[in-house]
Structure formats: structure tokens, C-alpha cells
Amino acid sequence: MKILKFGGTSVANSKNLDLVSNIVASEKEQNVIVVSALGGITDLLISALNKAAEGKDSFYQILEEIEERHLEPIHQSIPSAKQSGIISFLKSELNRLETILEGVMMLREVTPKATAKVSGYGERFSSTIIYEIFKHKGFDVVLKDGRELIVTQIQNNRSVVNWKNTEIKTKQFFKSNTAKTTLVPGFVARNEQGDSTTLGRGGSDFSAAILAHVLEANSLEIWTDVSGMFTANPKLVTQAKPIPKLSYLEAMELSHFGAKVIFPPTLQPLVEKQIPVFIKNTFAPQDQGTRIDSEVSKQNGSVVKGISHIDQISLISLEGSGMVGIPGVSKRLFEVLSIAQINVIMITQASSEHSICIAVQTNEAQEAKKVIDAEFAFEISLNKVAPTKIEDELVNVAIVGDNMKSHQGISGKMFSSLGANNVNIRAIAQGASERNISIMINKKDTQKALNTLHETFFENDIKELNLFIIGVGNVGSKLLEQILKQQEYLEENLLLRIKVVAISNSRTMVLGKENLNLKDWKTELEKGHPADVNKFFEHAKNLNLRNSIFVDNTASASIAYEYERYLNNNIGVVTCNKIACADTLENYTNLKKSSRKYGSPFLFETNVGAGLPIIDTLNNLIASGDQVLKIQAVLSGSLNFVLNNFKEGTDFRDVVIEAQTEGYTEPDPKIDLSGIDVARKILILARESGLEIELDDIENVPFLPQECLETPDNESFFESLTKHKQHFESLLAQAASKNSRLKYVAQLENGVAKVGLQEIPEGHDFYNLQGSDNIILFYTNRYLEQPLIVKGAGAGAEVTASGIFADIIRIGKR
């Protein structure tokens, strides 16, 4: 015999009922079908009961809604001529229910007996409707009231199953029952006095398990709306996947810690008889689902089988010197909680015995504090024990797996991955069986923690990076293009999954929750919300995604001043914007400190040399123990492009305009030609070398006339270049007369930095530097005679974007 249980969504409409009918029709052996109430009906019944107890006649409207919900599958699945019987039953039972509720309204009291009677109507309605539909389809089916099979009794003030009487009644009925299919409403039962009772949360699953136990069924199939138990909650972890095989103990652990597909009491009756359970999807019957049995699975390579969580948890701490070495403290604590019928979810105790910490449901926290403080009132009055403290807004997260005990490093991976994402662990518990490791974390970190753990244990070490990008002009658009092109390669070869979650320019922004469509990002941005840096930051902060990175592709000072609050909230920063690192030494130092304190990466390789590995090379030299003695460099691709293309017969103004058009200069080319951009770059290298200097400490000898430097906009700037045409031609001619070329050079030596135009003689490393290339010479203790040279393209949107992309990848590979 096989037991099948169907959830409420399975009987919600004719389409779903057809799926159920097909599943039942395919069964070859005798079977029992246990049915839940329609989705949401039990909540409506309880709501009607509460309204009646409050003296509100609005329960009548709720009863009308309940009637409408049940008439829908009747009208859809049974011909009109044959509906009268089931509709008469429905209306008759609703009239009885109405009478009960009117009595409750008169008494203004809800008794346990009334609650049990009212809340069980949903299963009786749904099972009777399915029975009539099955009869219409010609099935060999009989309907048996679950209250006539399952008997309950009171034990320790709790209603529990009377197994002896349940077995007698059930076996007696099935001894004479010859129907192929027996329909039984789940959840409902009767006590020994004949009063209606219920089996509590997950009661229909429990009904099915009870019948499977008593009838020694071959298997129990629980048909629901998901394809088995998942590695994590798929609503919070999009990469979650069904678990093919679990042991009873693994499933119990996962269900205890919040996996709602199956409830812990359901499994208990099955363990003794070794009856396998199959979790299947009514709407995708071809899916494998999850098998639960006594065997510990060593397949699928995963030691951790699942991640589960319970929300709305509070931590209660009892601590004080008066607890140390005193026997019976724990007994008194848990005894008083037991008497108050408060369930303890997790326990931790310091080895010093100075404190005991327990986790309870938040709705029981105040009552728990009240009874604990009352029990320890004497010790509290003597200041030997402090009044209990409650910490709310917490979530209990657990990783589960039978094989965890035989594998080292599981807890280490768990804690290190959470720590890297700034998830603070408030409490830890692990049983000697090592079947689960449970932690308490802040509620706001739930999704980040679940995704981080899932990534760590289930996704082949794939690391997900979530990008929040400001600036999608020349550089930003190239970056998005490169990310789109390389996504598949990065996932396959570097195990990196890069998602762009939000994009903003100076006018509009798109704030997503998942990966934006990079093939159509321009259209999405045009339809976006007005740009707002505060809302952009709050969005990144509130999403609280693991491995979040803020990417700044602008040259904006206001955006540069945003970095610190991102870093302080464990959001990494990657930027090509030099303003932050070239700002005051105090601001630069604070950003570095925030990065270290909160474990938030802060990378700015493209601040110097676009995509060239200049800062990385410098850091590696210093980290390996070398000492930088001197740096000489051509650091402006823009200026190098201008000076290389400014030749006899050309107009300096035209060359500058060409450089701007080609994207080699900043939007305001005066920033490049004034030397301030080069000064910022050598300042950054000086600071990365360990020098504590300010921008004003750098000697900057401009080659532009003062009038050019003081122009208010680009138009007047270009006009001034024309006006001073003779000045620029004179500089060029002077260099040519010495067989030299003009280069704008930055130098750092003996703690002194300077930038300015120089005449470079033939034979020098800078002499043949072409186009917009950069070159940097590192003279160190190891590279004393022949410097370490880094040379290559130092400007342009594509190479700058590739440098930013490289920094993003560098974070992913950490």
C-alpha cells in the first residue's frame, strides 16, 4: 500500500485537480490519499473565529469568501447536473459552522474545543470535493473521515496521538475496505471523549505519516508545489537546487530549522518502520524530487546537504558571577521555561559558567524573560545575577549534513565565508553528532548569509560579485560591454559570477535586485528613476548582498566622497576616479583604515596608468621587502598623445581637440594640460610608497600660460590656446633645436615629488614613447642600475575599463 498526501494548491482549480487525478490514476496498488485544506482556508477559519470572539459580525463575510473558494473547483470540475449533492453538503456544513461562530460571538470566548472544531473544516471540505470529482471521473474511491481513524489523548498538557487506539480503528477499517483509493482529510482527529481535535502545524503531513506507520505502507509520497527539499530557501537563494537524497536525521534537522516542505513530527512515525518518503511536485511530476530514508547518502559530493533558517528569533542572556560553580542553575532555567511551555531553539553556555544564552521565538521572549527573572529574583536582588537581556531581530541559520562529522574544516569554511562578508555571528551551537552547526545572526544579514553559505558549499566554489556602477559614459559603457562579453568565460574558467545590480549616470538610475540585462541597459536606464546618490547608496546597503562592489567610473568629487560610507558598510570600492586618493592625506588614510577595518576591498589601479599594473607592481615591490629609491614616469596618456602629435605645421589647439574627441582627456581637458592630473598620480604613488604628503607639496611647473589656466569653460579655453599659439610653437622649436622631444614628466626622489614639461634627449627611455602610452621607471635596491619598467597604453576608455574590470576580478579571486 502507498500513502499519498496532496497540499491545498493541488485542489484549488480544475487544472490542478486534473494533475492530481492523473497521478492517482497512474497508481497500480491500493492507496490512501490524504488531503489538506485549500491554500489559506485554515487562516480564514481562524480569522472568522477571532472576529466572532471579538463580537464582530464580519465573520459572515469571511464565511462567504470560504464558500466562494470551494465553489470554484466544484463548478469547474463537476457537470452542473451533478453539482447539487456536493453544493448541498457545502452549504449545510457552512450553516453548522455559522452556528458555532454565532455561539462564540455570544460567549465572547475562544475555547480549545471550538478552535479544533472550526479549524478542521477546511480539510473536510476539500476532501469531500475531491471525492465527488474522483467519483465523477469513475475512480474506485471511498471517503473516510480522518476523525474516525486517528485518536488523540492528553499527555503532559499536550494533545498527542493515541497510537494503540489509532491502530485498532485504522486496521479495522482497512481490513474490510476494498476500494483502490481511500480519501482521508488530513489534520483532523478525535480524542477519547469523541471531541474534534487537530494535529497542529503540518498536521496533514502528520496524518499521512500516522497512516503510513499503522498500515506499514511501502512508501509515503508528499505532493506539494515544489520539486523536493532544496539546498536553501529558493525565494532567498536563486541558485538553490533540489536535494535528491536525504537521511531521516538530515531531513529532521533541516525541517526543524525552518525548511517548510516537511515538518519534524511527520518523519518520526516513519523512522521505526523504515518507510521511505518522497517529496514530489504536483505540477512537475516528472521531476526527481527528494527521497528521504534511513541511508546516509555519500553521493553528489556535497558534505553539507542543506542550509535552513528560522526567523523572528530572540536571544535571552542570563549571566552573573553568582552562577559560576553553582549546581542546578541550568536545571532551574530550563524547568521554568518548560512549565511556561516555551520552546528553546538553541542553547549556548560559556565554559566559565558565567553566562547561559538561549534562543526562543520572538513572540515568546517577553514571557521567557518574565519567568526567568522571577525564578532568579533572589540572586538578582543580591546582584549575583543580572536581569535577563533580550536581543531581538535575529535569525537562526543552520548547515546540515550527516557526513559533516567525518570532514575537517566545515565550520572554518562557514565562519570565514561569513566573516569575509561582514556577517556578525551572535551565537554558535554544535551538537556532538556534528550533524548541524547553528548560528545566530542579525535579521538584516539573512539573505547575504544564506547566499554566501550556498555559494561556499554548493556552487563548485563559484563566487558571485554584485556590482553597483555609477558612471556609464565612455569608460563605464566599455566596462559593461566587457562584462557582458566575458561573463561566461569568467564563470567557467575563474569560477566568478559577475552581476550588475544597479547603474546610474548623472540623470537617471536603475536599481535592480538581481542581475540587470546588460544587452539592453541603455533602454532600462532611459526609463529609470531620477539619479540620487543617497538612494543609490541606501539601495546597495539595504540589499546587503554578499561581495558587493561600488564601481565609480566618473571624475566627480562628490562621488569620490561617497566611498567611505560604502566601505563602512562592507561594500568594496573600485574606482578610476583619482580625486579620493589624491585628496587630503587624512581622507586617503581614513579610506585605507575603513577598508582594513570592515574587510571592504578598495582598489584604484586605474588611478595611475589606466589599465597598466603600476600600483600593483609598486605594492608587490614594497610587500616583498624592496625599497623604492626613485620613480620617473610619463603618466599622462592624454599629454603624451598631445605632445607626440604636436609637430611642426600642426596647431596645438587642433591636437588638444582631437585628444578630447578620441576620449584621451578628461571632459575638461584643462585638468590634463594643467598638470594637476599628473600631480595627483605621482601623489598617489608617493602615498602608496609610504610617504605622507599632500598635493600642495608637489612642485608643479605648468607649461600653459596663466590666461589659459584661468578660463571658465572649454570654449574659452580653446580660444586661449589659439591666442597663445606662438608660445606652444616656441616650446616645440626649442626642443627640436636640441634634438629632443617634449614629454610631461613626473618624478619622485628622496621624498620630493615634482611634475613638469621636460626636453627628453635621444637615447632616453622616454624619447620614443608613442601615442598615448605611459611609461614608469622604478629604481629600487634591487633595480638600481637598470630600472623596472612598466610601459603601455595609458589612456583611452577601453584600456581604462579593462583596468577597472581587472580590479573587480582581483577582488573575486581573493
Side-chain angles (χ1 to χ4, degrees):
M1 180 178 287
K2 180 188 289 186
I3 311 296
L4 301 92
K5 180 265 175 180
F6 288 95
T9 53
S10 304
V11 293
N13 54 52
S14 60
K15 180 181 178 182
N16 297 3
L17 281 164
D18 286 343
L19 291 170
V20 173
S21 299
N22 292 337
I23 293 167
V24 175
S26 67
E27 292 297 328
K28 300 292 190 291
E29 59 185 316
Q30 190 177 23
N31 55 75
V32 178
I33 309 293
V34 178
V35 184
S36 296
L38 288 180
I41 291 297
T42 303
D43 290 338
L44 287 173
L45 289 165
I46 295 299
S47 177
L49 184 64
N50 291 332
K51 296 292 184 187
E54 294 167 3
K56 298 177 180 178
D57 61 7
S58 55
F59 73 82
Y60 289 110
Q61 284 76 43
I62 297 175
L63 292 182
E64 289 175 5
E65 182 180 349
I66 292 171
E67 181 178 6
E68 289 174 8
R69 290 280 305 280
H70 287 93
L71 285 173
E72 182 181 347
I74 293 173
H75 292 324
Q76 291 178 347
S77 303
I78 300 176
S80 301
K82 297 185 178 182
Q83 292 177 5
S84 58
I86 182 62
I87 291 176
S88 294
F89 162 80
L90 180 62
K91 290 185 177 293
S92 174
E93 290 300 312
L94 283 169
N95 287 336
R96 288 193 179 93
L97 178 56
E98 184 177 300
T99 302
I100 294 170
L101 294 175
E102 287 171 344
V104 170
M105 187 165 69
M106 289 178 61
L107 296 173
R108 301 288 178 91
E109 181 185 4
V110 178
T111 64
K113 185 182 292 187
T115 300
K117 187 175 290 187
V118 170
S119 61
Y121 266 92
E123 280 72 15
R124 292 167 55 205
F125 289 155
S126 61
S127 60
T128 306
I129 291 170
I130 292 181
Y131 170 65
E132 292 295 332
I133 293 170
F134 279 9
K135 278 202 308 179
H136 168 67
K137 290 178 178 289
F139 288 6
D140 180 12
V141 61
V142 65
L143 176 65
K144 182 63 174 176
D145 192 336
R147 295 175 298 176
E148 296 173 5
L149 300 176
I150 299 174
V151 183
T152 62
Q153 63 185 2
I154 299 299
Q155 193 175 85
N156 297 326
N157 295 319
R158 291 173 60 244
S159 180
V160 298
V161 176
N162 183 322
W163 287 98
K164 181 178 179 182
N165 289 346
T166 297
E167 185 169 352
I168 291 171
K169 287 179 175 289
T170 302
K171 286 188 172 179
Q172 184 177 350
F173 169 75
F174 280 96
K175 185 176 182 181
S176 58
N177 176 38
T178 58
K180 182 184 177 184
T181 298
T182 303
L183 268 169
V184 179
F187 184 59
V188 294
R190 279 200 180 107
N191 61 22
E192 292 162 312
Q193 292 74 43
D195 298 321
S196 292
T197 59
T198 61
L199 298 175
R201 183 170 175 253
S204 292
D205 287 0
F206 193 27
S207 295
I210 292 167
L211 296 177
H213 174 94
V214 170
L215 296 171
E216 299 186 23
N218 298 325
S219 65
L220 166 60
E221 292 181 358
I222 296 179
W223 291 83
T224 179
D225 56 357
V226 293
S227 298
M229 294 185 76
F230 278 65
T231 49
N233 185 339
K235 292 180 180 179
L236 298 177
V237 181
T238 56
Q239 306 300 322
K241 50 194 175 184
I243 308 169
K245 171 73 174 65
L246 287 169
S247 71
Y248 291 125
L249 294 176
E250 287 171 331
M252 283 183 182
E253 293 281 2
L254 286 171
S255 60
H256 173 75
F257 284 98
K260 296 177 181 178
V261 176
I262 194 168
F263 298 99
T266 302
L267 295 168
Q268 292 164 2
L270 307 172
V271 176
E272 181 184 342
K273 299 289 180 71
Q274 299 288 287
I275 299 170
V277 185
F278 297 88
I279 312 295
K280 302 282 285 181
N281 189 341
T282 308
F283 311 109
Q286 73 281 358
D287 288 357
Q288 181 180 0
T290 300
R291 177 188 173 105
I292 303 170
D293 57 29
S294 59
E295 295 180 7
V296 177
S297 173
K298 295 184 180 179
Q299 299 176 353
N300 308 318
S302 181
V303 177
V304 176
K305 287 299 184 65
I307 305 163
S308 200
H309 74 286
I310 312 172
D311 53 15
Q312 297 183 2
I313 300 297
S314 295
L315 273 181
I316 300 179
S317 301
L318 178 68
E319 55 186 57
S321 58
M323 297 166 56
V324 179
I326 305 298
V329 173
S330 298
K331 173 184 176 295
R332 291 169 61 193
L333 172 64
F334 297 118
E335 188 172 61
V336 73
L337 292 171
S338 175
I339 293 170
Q341 295 191 335
I342 294 171
N343 183 43
V344 177
I345 294 168
M346 196 175 93
I347 307 162
T348 64
Q349 181 174 14
S351 57
S352 64
E353 302 182 33
H354 184 266
S355 65
I356 301 176
C357 186
I358 60 169
V360 301
Q361 291 282 357
T362 296
N363 60 5
E364 296 181 329
Q366 290 298 331
E367 180 62 20
K369 174 178 171 58
K370 178 182 174 182
V371 297
I372 295 170
D373 285 350
E375 174 64 27
F376 291 91
F378 179 68
E379 288 86 349
I380 291 171
S381 69
L382 297 177
N383 292 323
K384 291 188 174 183
V385 173
T388 51
K389 297 175 183 176
I390 299 177
E391 188 175 349
D392 294 322
E393 295 291 306
L394 298 176
V395 170
N396 184 209
V397 176
I399 60 171
V400 173
D402 272 327
N403 291 320
M404 283 165 50
K405 60 187 174 184
S406 58
H407 284 76
Q408 296 177 341
I410 298 296
S411 58
K413 286 179 71 175
M414 181 183 192
F415 301 144
S416 62
S417 63
L418 293 175
N421 280 279
N422 207 33
V423 176
N424 186 35
I425 299 173
R426 299 291 300 111
I428 304 166
Q430 181 176 10
S433 68
E434 299 184 37
R435 189 171 291 111
N436 86 65
I437 304 172
S438 305
I439 59 172
M440 301 293 298
I441 62 171
N442 290 322
K443 182 179 179 181
K444 67 180 180 65
D445 291 327
T446 304
Q447 188 165 6
K448 180 196 280 189
L450 294 176
N451 279 276
T452 296
L453 293 174
H454 197 273
E455 185 179 89
T456 301
F457 292 109
F458 293 104
E459 296 180 38
N460 296 321
D461 294 325
I462 287 180
K463 187 173 184 179
E464 184 175 292
L465 306 180
N466 295 285
L467 308 186
F468 299 81
I469 299 176
I470 284 189
V472 286
N474 288 338
V475 174
S477 60
K478 288 294 182 182
L479 173 63
L480 292 173
E481 184 181 306
Q482 291 172 13
I483 291 172
L484 176 62
K485 181 181 177 182
Q486 291 299 106
Q487 277 179 327
E488 188 175 331
Y489 173 86
L490 291 174
E491 189 159 336
E492 289 181 3
N493 294 278
L494 297 184
L495 301 177
L496 290 179
R497 182 180 297 125
I498 295 181
K499 293 184 175 182
V500 178
V501 182
I503 299 173
S504 178
N505 59 22
S506 59
R507 300 179 305 280
T508 57
M509 62 184 182
V510 179
L511 306 179
K513 292 186 178 179
E514 286 292 331
N515 198 14
L516 296 178
N517 179 11
L518 295 188
K519 293 180 180 178
D520 198 31
W521 66 267
K522 291 182 180 178
T523 304
E524 290 194 42
L525 191 58
E526 286 174 5
K527 297 185 295 185
H529 303 288
D532 185 315
V533 291
N534 290 318
K535 289 181 180 178
F536 195 88
F537 165 73
E538 289 297 329
H539 182 69
K541 176 185 173 184
N542 293 334
L543 280 183
N544 201 22
L545 299 174
R546 68 204 184 283
N547 305 319
S548 292
I549 304 171
F550 174 66
V551 182
D552 176 17
N553 301 314
T554 75
S556 165
S558 62
I559 300 300
Y561 289 121
E562 294 288 308
Y563 299 170
E564 187 165 8
R565 63 172 172 171
Y566 280 94
L567 294 171
N568 289 347
N569 283 276
N570 193 232
I571 299 172
V573 173
V574 170
T575 179
C576 61
N577 186 342
K578 292 174 281 293
I579 293 175
C581 290
D583 194 27
T584 64
L585 179 62
E586 180 183 10
N587 186 52
Y588 168 84
T589 304
N590 286 340
L591 292 175
K592 287 283 195 171
K593 286 180 178 177
S594 292
S595 174
R596 288 191 295 270
K597 180 177 180 180
Y598 296 100
S600 312
F602 178 38
L603 299 184
F604 43 90
E605 179 65 71
T606 49
N607 277 196
V608 182
L612 296 176
I614 293 173
I615 293 176
D616 190 50
T617 300
L618 175 60
N619 289 334
N620 288 337
L621 286 170
I622 295 169
S624 65
D626 204 353
Q627 182 180 3
V628 177
L629 304 176
K630 182 170 71 171
I631 295 174
Q632 283 185 317
V634 173
L635 294 174
S636 174
S638 314
L639 274 170
N640 200 43
F641 178 89
V642 169
L643 295 172
N644 280 334
N645 286 279
F646 179 42
K647 300 172 182 176
E648 187 176 353
T650 60
D651 191 305
F652 188 74
R653 173 185 179 275
D654 293 340
V655 175
V656 174
I657 291 174
E658 182 185 357
Q660 185 192 41
T661 304
E662 294 291 329
Y664 288 119
T665 71
E666 300 286 354
D668 178 3
K670 190 160 65 250
I671 295 174
D672 295 285
L673 272 67
S674 67
I676 186 66
D677 188 59
V678 177
R680 285 172 176 162
K681 291 176 180 179
I682 196 65
L683 173 66
I684 292 168
L685 293 180
R687 287 175 172 175
E688 290 293 292
S689 301
L691 297 178
E692 296 183 352
I693 64 173
E694 300 284 4
L695 186 60
D696 291 342
D697 297 328
I698 297 173
E699 181 184 351
N700 183 357
V701 182
F703 70 95
L704 291 180
Q706 192 64 28
E707 183 182 345
C708 297
L709 293 171
E710 293 175 353
T711 53
D713 52 45
N714 283 353
E715 184 178 354
S716 58
F717 175 67
F718 291 133
E719 288 176 0
S720 72
L721 295 183
T722 301
K723 181 178 178 181
H724 292 279
K725 177 180 179 180
Q726 188 65 40
H727 167 73
F728 301 115
E729 291 178 349
S730 174
L731 292 173
L732 181 63
Q734 185 175 333
S737 68
K738 300 175 185 177
N739 197 25
S740 298
R741 292 177 178 173
L742 293 175
K743 303 292 179 186
Y744 202 86
V745 179
Q747 183 166 309
L748 175 67
E749 187 174 14
N750 297 323
V752 177
K754 60 181 180 180
V755 298
L757 194 66
Q758 292 186 19
E759 298 170 350
I760 302 299
E762 189 174 4
H764 193 282
D765 289 311
F766 296 170
Y767 184 81
N768 289 314
L769 194 64
Q770 299 299 313
S772 62
D773 285 0
N774 281 193
I775 186 170
I776 185 162
L777 313 179
F778 289 108
Y779 292 89
T780 73
N781 285 336
R782 295 174 189 157
Y783 298 91
L784 196 57
E785 297 299 327
Q786 293 295 325
L788 173 61
I789 301 175
V790 179
K791 179 182 176 182
E798 193 152 359
V799 292
T800 303
S802 70
I804 295 167
F805 199 5
D807 272 350
I808 293 168
I809 293 170
R810 191 175 288 117
I811 290 174
K813 292 171 68 177
R814 285 185 173 182

